Amino acid sequence: EREAAGWIAEGDEQVALNLATLVAALAPHLGEGGQALDVRALKLLADRFSQANNKQRARDLIETVMEIGVSPEHPAEVRRVTLVNHGSRPRRLELTTYTEVVLAPRNADVAHRAFSSMFVETDEVPNAHAMLAHRRPRSPDESEAWLVQVLTSEHGPWDGFQWESSRAAFIGRGRSLEHPAALEGDSPLGGARGEVLDPAMALRRTIVLEPGG
């Protein structure tokens, strides 16, 4: 990936965080036709990962703890985000992840980013709250490459599932990841999929935190 970032947004407030729940190369855990993802397998991998880093912060009585794990056995990374509401009223939060997709050697990406991106296709798997990215082989000798990004919960219900696979649509014209267009206002993510000029993966879900929850 080129960049990975995430945000928590409440109303007009947006807090930039590195909280992308990202799992790479978990295609073997997808069901037939890629229509279901085994969340139990995902959690098992998360529990077996070696903890690489912990980050904790609090803002407006919302505490956020992020645990980052990198698998010693698989080309995968899991980021577990724990949210705690220390206030006296329920809070409705949106969690948004963002990752730029490469699926190619770094030299090839740096040499001609636009050309390299032409071979990447994306697709959504709503019932698994996931997106897939697939790099088509350029020659018979080249192997296929897959990436899956999942935004799922271990406890409690989450509402909705939105996605975007166009980097240009997510960031917006003349903007950057510090102030992307996708985090302004109440507009949902665009839902682009398939072949896009500059592929990315952005997922969004909503959760209501009760006091102390």
Side-chain angles (χ1 to χ4, degrees):
E1 311 81 40
R2 296 191 190 95
E3 299 184 47
W7 296 265
I8 295 178
E10 180 185 18
D12 294 331
E13 291 187 275
Q14 294 153 1
V15 183
L17 298 170
N18 283 327
L19 55 82
T21 303
L22 172 65
V23 183
L26 283 179
H29 298 287
L30 292 174
E32 184 177 354
Q35 295 303 308
L37 186 142
D38 190 343
V39 177
R40 291 175 300 175
L42 177 63
K43 292 179 179 178
L44 179 61
L45 283 174
D47 291 338
R48 295 179 61 189
F49 279 10
S50 61
Q51 184 172 307
N53 193 13
N54 280 355
K55 296 183 180 181
Q56 182 174 0
R57 65 177 296 167
R59 176 171 174 174
D60 297 329
L61 300 179
I62 300 295
E63 179 184 358
T64 305
V65 179
M66 179 179 63
E67 303 167 78
I68 306 173
V70 178
S71 172
E73 302 170 348
H74 306 275
E77 175 182 303
V78 168
R79 302 193 180 196
R80 176 182 288 153
V81 180
T82 303
L83 302 172
V84 181
N85 179 6
H86 293 288
S88 59
R89 61 181 178 87
R91 305 287 290 271
R92 184 176 183 272
L93 304 175
E94 286 185 343
L95 275 73
T96 303
T97 73
Y98 174 84
T99 303
E100 295 185 7
V101 181
V102 178
L103 295 177
R106 178 173 176 80
N107 290 341
D109 179 61
V110 172
H112 205 312
R113 179 174 178 176
F115 178 76
S116 180
S117 297
M118 291 174 56
F119 296 89
V120 176
E121 297 179 0
T122 60
D123 200 2
E124 78 282 1
V125 190
N127 62 324
H129 309 117
M131 281 202 75
L132 294 171
H134 168 226
R135 182 176 180 82
R136 303 190 311 275
R138 294 170 53 186
S139 67
D141 300 330
E142 196 173 280
S143 60
E144 291 185 323
W146 289 84
L147 171 72
V148 58
Q149 177 170 315
V150 185
L151 181 57
T152 188
S153 62
E154 294 186 27
H155 307 286
W158 288 22
D159 295 332
F161 177 69
Q162 303 172 30
W163 67 88
E164 176 61 71
S165 66
S166 169
R167 177 178 179 272
F170 185 91
I171 297 177
R173 186 182 181 93
R175 292 174 174 265
S176 69
L177 282 177
E178 294 183 359
H179 302 286
L183 296 188
E184 286 197 352
D186 298 325
S187 299
L189 296 180
R193 56 180 289 274
E195 298 179 5
V196 295
L197 293 179
D198 199 354
M201 286 181 168
L203 305 179
R204 177 179 293 167
R205 298 187 70 186
T206 302
I207 185 172
V208 176
L209 284 182
E210 297 296 332

